Amino acid sequence: MSRDAHPSPIRESGITHAVAPVDSRGLALVVDDEPTNRRLLARMLKKEGFDTLEAESGARAIELFEQSPPDIVFMDVMMPVMDGFEATRRIKAMAGFDFVPVIFLTALHDEKSLVQCTESGGDDFLTKPFNFSILKARITAMERVRDLQRIIAGKNRELEQLLEQDRQEQKLAERVFSRAVNDRNVHTEQFGLVQRPATTFNGDLVLTQDLPDGGVRILLGDFTGHGLAAAIGALPVAETFRTMTRKGVDDEQVLDEINRKLYRVLPPERFMAACLVSIPGSGREIRWWNGGMPSAWLRTQEGLQELASHALPLGILPELSDRETPRRVAVRRDDRLLMMSDGLLEARDPGGRMFMDHGFAGVLEAWTHGGAVLPDLLQALEEHCADQRPEDDVAILETPLDPELFSRPPVSRERHPEGGWTWSLTLEDERLGDLPSLESALRPLGLLDGLEEDAGPLETIVNELYSNALEHGVLRLDSPMKADPDGFCNYYQERGRRLAEGCRGRVDVSVAYEPGETHGMLRVKISDSGPGFDTQQWDDVSLDTTRPWGRGIALVRDLCDAVVFDDSGSRVEAVYRCR
């Protein structure tokens, strides 16, 4: 076939641009050091609907591939500068996860060379001279494979992007959630505490709160399932637990209230197993209640004492049974208590055996009076699981029962400070999401001395009013977004997104203590730079911990003598009477 019998291709810097047909099958790269072979194949490919590039060596093929990645490559083997094997290896490396078929066209017939074609990344090969009909059939088959690979790769990329987006959003929401629940625990330095979530969100819940008599109350809960759906129920539980414990409400009433809230807010198949332990300031006994959790264990001088489940989990029935009341057990100095979720006992080794059947009992038996068991327990768990990830959330809490660890002197009016003080803080722009705890800010200054009983409520008041100013004032988020679990999650994801994008604004916080004849007063003022918002929506909102929104302001009103917003909603003043 003479060159004049066909339209002449345009040649620019060694790159041949064929005239593209209307229905192009893509770009084909023809690599051969013999010009006649290249042109002959290129013309055939053009008739089949391909655009073509031509390269006279492997090295030139690499250059063209970098400039214009083709859809299919036809590769000779024996060429100067760089042979077809090496060129194919580099092309496959550059293509990455994008499948670009390489068909070897070679005069070599020996078995070793054909094996090399495959080992270098070739997807098919034909020996020269080849039949055009056979080549066309091979091309069609390879296009099917390529198109299928590209569809799968595209779907995988979309899935990876969605998964990564989901992971980032869950991390963000988990961070916000942890600050709302876990960061308010007290005496964390006195406990041995381990929490290992099976997913980003933790379905196990650990709460600790001071009792007015100088003791401490602990709740370890385990929601059915794990992940976000389980963790959503933790917020009303935490608020009920903290509010009622700070007020000194007895264990039975706290459990009744949490049970009622969960029964109303959770779907029928969801509930929370829980173990609640109160350690009074006297330190002579503990009160405990176990509803569906694994046995807690008390190590006394006389030996191990099991605190087994004796009640239904919370949220199953509308009311707790009268027979499922908290129990009491005497304790002495150096006694210790171990609590856990079932994720610990059901952790499996590579052979599928549970930790409760292989390892846990031995650790308990070796537990000596006065000593900590948690280090040995964790070591045994690590050896048991090896590289196995837990299938369920794991929570373990060990606490010494020495009364002086938690007790504080009873607060009397005479101990209230006689001198007043004012503390203020302004956060702007990127600092808006980092309000420090009042405990960390005021304690080193001695401003909480004599106000120990009031520190918890004060922390709650400032946190709630600050969150209100930030979220509704500066970030302009709509509270009713949290009306359901999906909206609740979306709300905090949006909150995190707006903070991460660098919001502009300012929130001023002022806390003043005013001594009085009988009770001191704490006056909290918070203002924000936002445009304001309608506060009337909260005027008639009562404290209902089952409602996902509007609880913060209702809780503040419940704690304070007065809460007053200005007309714009950008300034609020709350007055709290000290105990």
Side-chain angles (χ1 to χ4, degrees):
M1 187 179 296
S2 71
R3 293 181 57 183
D4 293 338
H6 300 278
S8 298
I10 302 170
R11 183 176 293 276
E12 296 177 359
S13 304
I15 303 176
T16 299
H17 300 274
V19 179
V22 176
D23 296 320
S24 175
R25 294 171 66 178
L27 182 62
L29 173 59
V30 180
V31 189
D32 198 315
D33 60 335
E34 176 54 53
T36 302
N37 291 343
R38 289 200 310 270
R39 291 167 187 161
L40 183 63
L41 180 55
R43 285 172 182 157
M44 187 279 287
L45 292 171
K46 179 184 172 185
K47 289 180 179 178
E48 292 299 318
F50 287 95
D51 296 332
T52 59
L53 293 175
E54 296 181 25
E56 68 279 9
S57 69
R60 182 59 181 157
I62 300 299
E63 294 176 5
L64 294 179
F65 190 93
E66 290 178 333
Q67 295 168 8
S68 302
D71 298 285
I72 190 168
V73 178
F74 299 90
M75 183 71 72
D76 189 18
V77 174
M78 303 304 293
M79 293 180 290
V81 184
M82 181 186 294
D83 64 25
F85 299 135
E86 180 61 22
T88 298
R89 275 191 286 270
R90 296 193 185 188
I91 284 174
K92 286 293 185 180
M94 288 190 294
F97 292 107
D98 186 18
F99 179 65
V100 178
V102 176
I103 300 177
F104 275 101
L105 302 174
T106 175
L108 300 175
H109 293 77
D110 61 288
E111 181 177 344
K112 181 180 177 182
S113 297
L114 298 181
V115 169
Q116 275 189 286
C117 290
T118 302
E119 290 178 342
S120 62
D123 300 289
D124 203 350
F125 60 86
L126 281 177
T127 55
K128 297 177 181 176
F130 52 82
N131 182 289
F132 278 137
S133 297
I134 295 177
L135 179 60
K136 287 166 57 177
R138 297 288 181 87
I139 292 172
T140 301
M142 201 53 61
E143 284 181 320
R144 291 178 185 150
V145 175
R146 179 201 62 197
D147 293 345
L148 181 59
Q149 290 278 354
R150 287 182 176 179
I151 290 172
I152 294 173
K155 296 292 183 185
N156 286 339
R157 280 193 293 271
E158 291 177 7
L159 182 59
E160 288 172 2
Q161 290 172 357
L162 291 173
L163 289 174
E164 180 59 24
Q165 181 181 352
D166 184 65
R167 278 193 291 269
Q168 293 302 323
E169 289 178 347
Q170 288 217 22
K171 285 181 181 178
L172 200 57
E174 192 276 337
R175 180 170 175 266
V176 173
F177 192 85
S178 292
R179 294 187 65 169
V181 176
N182 297 333
D183 291 357
R184 296 184 186 178
N185 283 337
V186 300
H187 303 297
T188 52
E189 71 283 1
Q190 308 293 356
F191 302 118
L193 175 62
V194 174
Q195 288 182 277
R196 295 179 179 174
T199 63
T200 303
F201 279 94
N202 195 344
D204 289 349
L205 176 67
V206 177
L207 300 172
T208 63
Q209 182 63 51
D210 286 317
L211 287 161
D213 68 353
V216 67
R217 179 175 286 156
I218 304 166
L219 184 144
L220 196 156
D222 183 359
F223 285 91
T224 46
H226 47 77
L228 177 59
I232 282 297
L235 196 57
V237 172
E239 290 185 358
T240 301
F241 174 85
R242 296 193 196 290
T243 302
M244 299 185 77
T245 299
R246 278 196 296 264
K247 292 180 177 178
V249 177
D250 65 42
D251 300 341
E252 197 166 353
Q253 288 180 282
V254 172
L255 290 166
D256 281 337
E257 186 64 16
I258 293 175
N259 180 67
R260 276 194 291 270
K261 302 299 183 190
L262 291 180
Y263 182 78
R264 290 172 54 189
V265 76
L266 295 180
E269 71 276 12
R270 298 276 182 175
F271 53 85
M272 184 184 77
C275 184
L276 184 139
V277 175
S278 291
I279 307 172
S282 67
R284 292 190 293 269
E285 67 172 12
I286 62 171
R287 302 186 298 270
W288 64 278
W289 181 92
N290 192 339
M293 289 290 284
S295 297
W297 292 90
L298 185 63
R299 184 62 171 91
T300 68
Q301 195 166 16
E302 290 74 26
L304 282 170
Q305 185 167 348
E306 183 176 8
L307 310 183
S309 172
H310 62 280
L312 285 175
L314 300 171
I316 294 179
L317 298 176
E319 301 291 339
L320 292 180
S321 168
D322 294 338
R323 294 173 298 178
E324 298 175 353
T325 56
R327 301 178 179 184
R328 298 170 183 265
V329 59
V331 296
R332 290 179 291 187
R333 183 180 300 278
D334 294 332
D335 291 349
R336 298 180 78 89
L337 175 69
L338 177 67
M339 305 164 68
M340 70 208 74
S341 64
D342 59 2
L344 170 70
L345 301 179
E346 296 172 1
R348 296 179 183 275
D349 66 10
R353 301 178 301 177
M354 291 186 181
F355 185 53
M356 62 188 298
D357 300 323
H358 295 84
F360 179 71
V363 175
L364 277 188
E365 290 172 3
W367 188 9
T368 58
H369 183 239
V373 71
L374 189 58
D376 292 339
L377 189 62
L378 291 177
Q379 182 178 349
L381 179 65
E382 297 293 340
E383 293 172 355
H384 174 79
C385 293
D387 295 329
Q388 293 285 111
R389 283 182 57 83
E391 298 174 357
D392 197 1
D393 305 314
V394 174
I396 315 168
L397 186 144
E398 181 188 9
T399 178
L401 298 175
D402 297 339
E404 60 268 21
L405 291 177
F406 309 111
S407 64
R408 287 170 284 109
V411 178
S412 64
R413 190 174 70 81
E414 288 72 24
R415 288 185 58 83
H416 282 171
E418 296 180 355
W421 51 260
T422 299
W423 173 87
S424 62
L425 173 70
T426 297
L427 294 176
E428 298 181 1
D429 302 338
E430 64 181 15
R431 293 286 186 181
L432 283 168
D434 298 318
L435 177 68
S437 69
L438 288 188
E439 180 75 18
S440 65
L442 303 185
R443 181 68 71 189
L445 301 175
L447 298 181
L448 293 180
D449 294 349
L451 297 172
E452 285 79 6
E453 285 298 314
D454 307 299
L458 179 61
E459 188 90 48
T460 299
I461 294 165
V462 171
N463 270 317
E464 295 297 345
L465 294 181
Y466 182 87
S467 296
N468 195 68
L470 171 63
E471 295 167 9
H472 306 309
V474 177
L475 301 179
R476 307 188 69 177
L477 291 165
D478 193 10
S479 190
M481 281 177 64
K482 295 185 283 186
D484 54 58
D486 288 340
F488 184 91
C489 182
N490 293 336
Y491 179 92
Y492 281 102
Q493 288 172 350
E494 183 61 20
R495 178 189 191 275
R497 186 188 66 78
R498 294 185 186 186
L499 285 174
E501 288 181 350
C503 66
R504 309 289 292 181
R506 187 188 76 252
V507 177
D508 299 303
V509 180
S510 170
V511 180
Y513 171 71
E514 301 169 0
E517 288 292 327
T518 57
H519 293 87
M521 306 290 285
L522 284 162
R523 192 176 300 274
V524 177
K525 297 180 181 179
I526 293 183
S527 61
D528 64 77
S529 61
F533 55 92
D534 181 11
T535 62
Q536 292 184 354
Q537 60 181 314
W538 291 314
D539 286 348
D540 298 324
V541 172
S542 59
L543 178 58
D544 182 355
T545 53
T546 65
R547 184 182 53 239
W549 63 275
R551 294 174 299 198
I553 298 301
L555 178 60
V556 171
R557 285 202 168 108
D558 191 58
L559 290 170
C560 294
D561 284 10
V563 179
V564 179
F565 285 89
D566 70 358
D567 292 339
S568 71
S570 297
R571 296 176 184 274
V572 61
E573 178 173 331
V575 179
Y576 168 84
R577 184 187 301 275
C578 298
R579 297 172 183 174

